[in-house]
Amino acid sequence: MKTIDELLAEGVAGKRVFVRADLNVPLDGTTITDDGRIRAVVPTVARLAEAGARVVVASHLGRPKGSPDPSFSLAPAAARLGELLGADVAFATDTVGDSARATVAALTDGQVAVVENLRFNAGETSKDDAERGAFADQLAQLADVYVGDGFGAVHRRHASVYDLPARLPHAAGYLIATEVGVLKKLTEDVARPYAVVLGGAKVSDKLGVIDHLLEKADRILIGGGMAYTFLKAQGHEVGISLLQEDQVPAVQGYLKRAEELGVEFVLPVDVLVAGEFPDLKTKAPAHPATVAADAIPADQEGLDIGPETCALYASKLADAATVFWNGPMGVFEHPDYAGGTRAVAQALAGSEAFSVVGGGDSAAAVRILGFDENAFGHISTGGGASLEYLEGKTLPGLAALED
């Protein structure tokens, strides 16, 4: 895989360099609520611009249906990128149309442009190779060189991620190089004890990574909505908590296999419950009750791990040399149910372990809860991509960058 430094050594002055970034940031209207993914691509874009490249930045945002949708416009992200670069960033109001062609043609050496949301074109995400390839051909007309730096999308077989690199000289940007280096530390010659913390809503989203990490981790801590499927697998009442009943047999199998392998599975011993899901818009007081994890009332829903579990998990992380964390422990968006996620973040922030926060909601939670990002070994920009890498899968966007 060619690095961006090798590309720069060959010279990029005057060349149109297409940077596939991940600017898929959360928006409240047109206000960006977490700019972490934009900040992550700044080193690559800035270095290319300094070297005299004419930089064309492209990304997806959200899940539009293959046609323009103003609510998913990249305009706010382009404006924020300009602020972070300290330079004007041009914005094309389409992806491969008249505006994109004119905007790119107007660039001079060292200037940067952002084209509109790639997913406004059906070809970007098409499962039809020919349709996807045709869109990649159009994108290729905007550039001379391709730099892949959208780690959060490398697990997708999309036109700008998988097909476009085959049509242009290509290299990996700084972010992708960093992300892959970090993930190798979680899979090759891992410093032990190795603890994994998994949360989030659905256990089905994590079964593949659990299966793979059972061969590598020393202990696995479970929280979030997925914890209730584990508790159900142990025969406990979970009330109206989030439950994937069809996954109970698989979970029981993993618990048994973990015992056979000597991997410690750590589940909640107490949880915060309420009779209804909290209002996340007004964040009105929820008044949760704390109950033992094996005594959830039939009419109550588990929404966070409890204080005893917070202390237990902190103790299980205290001596770890390596920690991978993906998924919040509860409904952290509401202050009454943020305690579990905060406790895990605090345990890692105060730890000497090499800690990796695996993107998505976990990364957002770290920022929303006010933690210093430098207190963690690495905060990934790609939750899904990180999980699939740890599952041992081949990621299309990384394979496409291999020479």
Side-chain angles (χ1 to χ4, degrees):
M1 187 182 294
K2 179 183 286 187
T3 67
I4 189 171
D5 288 330
E6 291 174 301
L7 179 67
L8 289 164
E10 295 172 358
V12 295
K15 293 182 179 179
R16 300 169 302 162
V17 180
F18 186 104
V19 177
R20 202 326 180 166
D22 180 8
L23 309 180
N24 185 28
V25 292
L27 294 172
D28 183 1
T30 58
T31 301
I32 297 169
T33 58
D34 179 4
D35 68 355
R37 284 177 168 164
I38 303 176
R39 286 186 284 113
V41 79
V42 166
T44 290
V45 174
R47 185 67 188 89
L48 287 167
E50 288 168 6
R54 303 177 183 193
V55 187
V56 182
V57 180
S59 175
H60 69 289
L61 191 153
R63 296 180 182 274
K65 305 298 183 182
S67 60
D69 182 337
S71 63
F72 293 112
S73 175
L74 276 174
R80 180 58 178 150
L81 178 61
E83 292 172 357
L84 292 167
L85 290 170
D88 291 335
V89 168
F91 181 67
T93 56
D94 57 28
T95 304
V96 292
D98 292 342
S99 178
R101 289 192 293 269
T103 300
V104 173
L107 290 175
T108 59
D109 294 3
Q111 289 188 325
V112 179
V114 174
V115 296
E116 187 55 284
N117 194 334
L118 290 161
R119 291 186 183 175
F120 285 0
N121 302 76
E124 169 67 1
T125 59
S126 176
K127 296 189 185 309
D128 181 81
D129 291 349
E131 184 179 10
R132 221 176 46 244
F135 182 51
D137 288 339
Q138 291 179 290
L139 291 172
Q141 294 174 16
L142 299 176
D144 305 303
V145 181
Y146 177 94
V147 171
D149 215 30
F151 180 74
V154 294
H155 59 314
R156 306 296 188 191
R157 190 179 289 264
H158 290 171
S160 65
V161 176
Y162 179 73
D163 301 273
L164 184 55
R167 289 158 168 78
L168 294 169
H170 50 263
Y174 291 125
L175 175 60
I176 279 187
T178 297
E179 295 273 15
V180 171
V182 165
L183 289 169
K184 285 183 177 179
K185 288 186 178 181
L186 298 176
T187 54
E188 302 173 9
D189 195 25
V190 182
R192 298 186 178 280
Y194 179 16
V196 175
V197 186
L198 297 175
K202 295 182 178 180
V203 69
S204 56
D205 292 342
K206 304 293 196 306
L207 287 181
V209 76
I210 291 172
D211 182 63
H212 206 67
L213 288 175
L214 278 174
E215 303 289 341
K216 299 181 181 297
D218 297 300
R219 62 185 72 120
I220 300 176
L221 287 59
I222 301 293
M226 62 183 286
Y228 303 101
T229 301
F230 276 86
L231 292 171
K232 185 71 171 182
Q234 291 187 323
H236 303 312
E237 170 65 56
V238 297
I240 57 172
S241 304
L242 189 62
L243 173 66
Q244 289 186 281
E245 189 88 46
D246 62 323
Q247 300 297 331
V248 168
V251 168
Q252 288 172 330
Y254 285 128
L255 290 171
K256 181 180 179 183
R257 189 166 147 222
E259 185 177 1
E260 293 170 348
L261 291 170
V263 176
E264 183 180 11
F265 248 109
V266 190
L267 301 179
V269 294
D270 63 342
V271 297
L272 301 187
V273 299
E276 59 182 13
F277 197 81
D279 187 332
L280 299 181
K281 287 188 178 292
T282 66
K283 294 183 171 55
H287 307 298
T290 303
V291 301
D294 60 358
I296 299 174
D299 62 346
Q300 300 286 295
E301 179 177 9
L303 295 164
D304 194 13
I305 59 174
E308 288 187 29
T309 306
C310 289
L312 172 65
Y313 284 14
S315 72
K316 295 294 182 181
L317 296 172
D319 69 338
T322 304
V323 181
F324 173 70
W325 171 29
N326 181 279
M329 297 294 98
V331 188
F332 73 93
E333 299 91 341
H334 192 288
D336 289 348
Y337 301 104
T341 303
R342 182 181 289 106
V344 169
Q346 187 63 62
L348 298 187
S351 166
E352 295 183 2
F354 175 64
S355 57
V356 178
V357 181
D361 285 342
S362 313
V366 163
R367 298 185 184 104
I368 290 170
L369 297 176
F371 286 89
D372 181 355
E373 294 182 39
N374 294 322
F376 304 88
H378 179 69
I379 298 179
S380 179
T381 57
S386 295
L387 289 175
E388 291 200 14
Y389 188 100
L390 293 179
E391 286 180 44
K393 291 183 177 179
T394 297
L395 305 188
L398 296 184
L401 294 175
E402 296 289 349
D403 292 326

